[in-house]
Amino acid sequence: DKGTYPFYMLKEIEEQPLVLRRLQQKYFDFHGNVLLDDTLLQEISASERIYIVACGTSYHAGLASKAFFETLTKVPVEVHLASEFGYYTPILAKKPFFIYLSQSGETADSRQVLVKTNQLGASSLAITNVPGSTLAREAKYALSLEAGPEIAVASTKAYTAQIALLSILAYAIQLEKEDSQLNLLQELTLVEEAMTQVLTQKEHIHQLAKDFFRDTNSAFFIGRGNDYAVSLEAALKLKEISYIQAEGFAAGELKHGTIALIEDGTPVIGLITSEVTHLHTRGNLEEVKSRGAKTLVISETTFAQASDQIILPKAHPLLMSLVSVVPTQLLAYYATLERGYDVDKPRNLAKSVTVE
Ligand code: F6R
């Protein structure tokens, strides 16, 4: 039931802080200990390499989790598109561990890879939003996203739930090996508050969406590192519901060809949440601006500038994707409203894709 919300997508965007809370309640006890199966943690921590396999938004959640996961666990992580992995299996590590990310748990492309890795005898974990789903049943281990039913075709709360749950998993694996400098519960609470703060900027973001996207046919999202990962998701969200041709690019890669597409008035949205890369991304925004682009900057408050349009509260740098994705979801939502399309049911798309 969408209650007083005009569309499920808005309801689901707004539920994200709550989902984060639910994940903390489900996966931590009162003393702050992580409640995850020890054998699962030991298996992952003893593996030589982790392969995250997924499609679409879930694939993007994998990309946005890689840095945090590797930093904490010290196990290398590769993120793969299921539909590609199905045809060409890379040379695998001797002790691989597979993590399947899927909101529905029914995506045929992902299942196809799971069947194959099961045949190879590889161990696996399915992270899904539907506990009894095919992937959850067929993987060796399963964890639930606790996001509640996601009805809108465009995935939002499943994306942030996947990143948050992977962060808890990574933290638990780190604790198997060593003491952690991090208080993850505290960091996730900060993220939750930051998300809530971004949601209060909803009307402001609506105005920006109207101004930037009502009459455009193309748009670019740029960023570096995790901001690049979020750019890919931001672009997917915008294109699938508003039908604007949108692309996410690594900010430094624009000049190697794509910049030729920048015309007078082309919207370029810059994501800036990393201290290490913020000046470089700003440089890239200047480059496109001087070629006529209309720029919109989403930046973390510590290194925000007066002209930036959307300011994000500070959270752990490797968890900022949980915060920065929220305004991009709202931009896609309001762009679609302004263009007069059905937000929840975009053309040509189904909620779960059960064909390869
Ligand atoms: C985009 C979207 C799709 C799904 C993809 C994978 O908003 O919803 O890209 O993310 O089809 O679906 P799941 O996560 O159910 O495997």
Side-chain angles (χ1 to χ4, degrees), residues 55-58 101-105 107 153-155 236-237 240 353:
C55 305
T57 289
S58 296
L101 291 180
S102 174
Q103 190 285 129
S104 63
T107 300
V153 163
S155 181
L236 174 59
K237 216 81 312 172
E240 73 177 315
V353 185

Side-chain angles (χ1 to χ4, degrees), residues 80-253:
H80 289 270
L81 285 168
S83 59
E84 287 294 310
F85 203 96
Y87 302 108
Y88 174 74
T89 308
I91 296 170
L92 296 175
K94 286 199 188 68
K95 273 194 288 174
F97 190 92
F98 286 84
I99 298 179
Y100 293 88
L101 291 180
S102 174
Q103 190 285 129
S104 63
E106 300 297 341
T107 300
D109 288 321
S110 302
R111 169 153 195 261
Q112 179 210 188
V113 183
L114 175 59
V115 168
K116 198 161 158 179
T117 57
N118 277 349
Q119 281 163 359
L120 294 172
S123 193
S124 58
L125 161 69
I127 295 182
T128 75
N129 201 26
V130 183
S133 59
T134 308
L135 289 175
R137 281 185 279 110
E138 295 182 358
K140 178 163 180 194
Y141 301 95
L143 291 175
S144 116
L145 285 172
E146 301 298 310
E150 194 181 61
I151 311 287
V153 163
S155 181
T156 53
K157 60 180 179 172
Y159 172 85
T160 44
Q162 284 168 341
I163 297 172
L165 182 47
L166 282 172
S167 79
I168 297 172
L169 181 63
Y171 180 67
I173 294 166
Q174 180 186 33
L175 291 176
E176 285 281 308
K177 299 184 172 177
E178 61 191 24
D179 285 343
S180 182
Q181 301 301 309
L182 195 76
N183 181 339
L184 187 65
L185 257 183
Q186 204 173 322
E187 297 296 346
L188 289 174
T189 304
L190 278 180
V191 166
E192 198 187 311
E193 287 164 9
M195 279 177 162
T196 305
Q197 201 281 342
V198 173
L199 290 168
T200 66
Q201 302 183 44
K202 186 163 87 163
E203 270 320 304
H204 168 60
I205 294 171
H206 187 166
Q207 286 310 312
L208 289 168
K210 198 164 159 181
D211 180 22
F212 277 79
F213 300 126
R214 194 168 59 187
D215 305 311
T216 189
N217 292 320
S218 72
F220 296 91
F221 289 85
I222 66 168
R224 291 169 184 253
N226 270 352
D227 291 332
Y228 169 41
V230 175
S231 295
L232 294 173
E233 173 56 12
L236 174 59
K237 216 81 312 172
L238 187 67
K239 61 189 147 189
E240 73 177 315
I241 58 175
S242 77
Y243 313 139
I244 294 168
Q245 176 146 14
E247 297 302 333
F249 273 97
E253 190 64 15

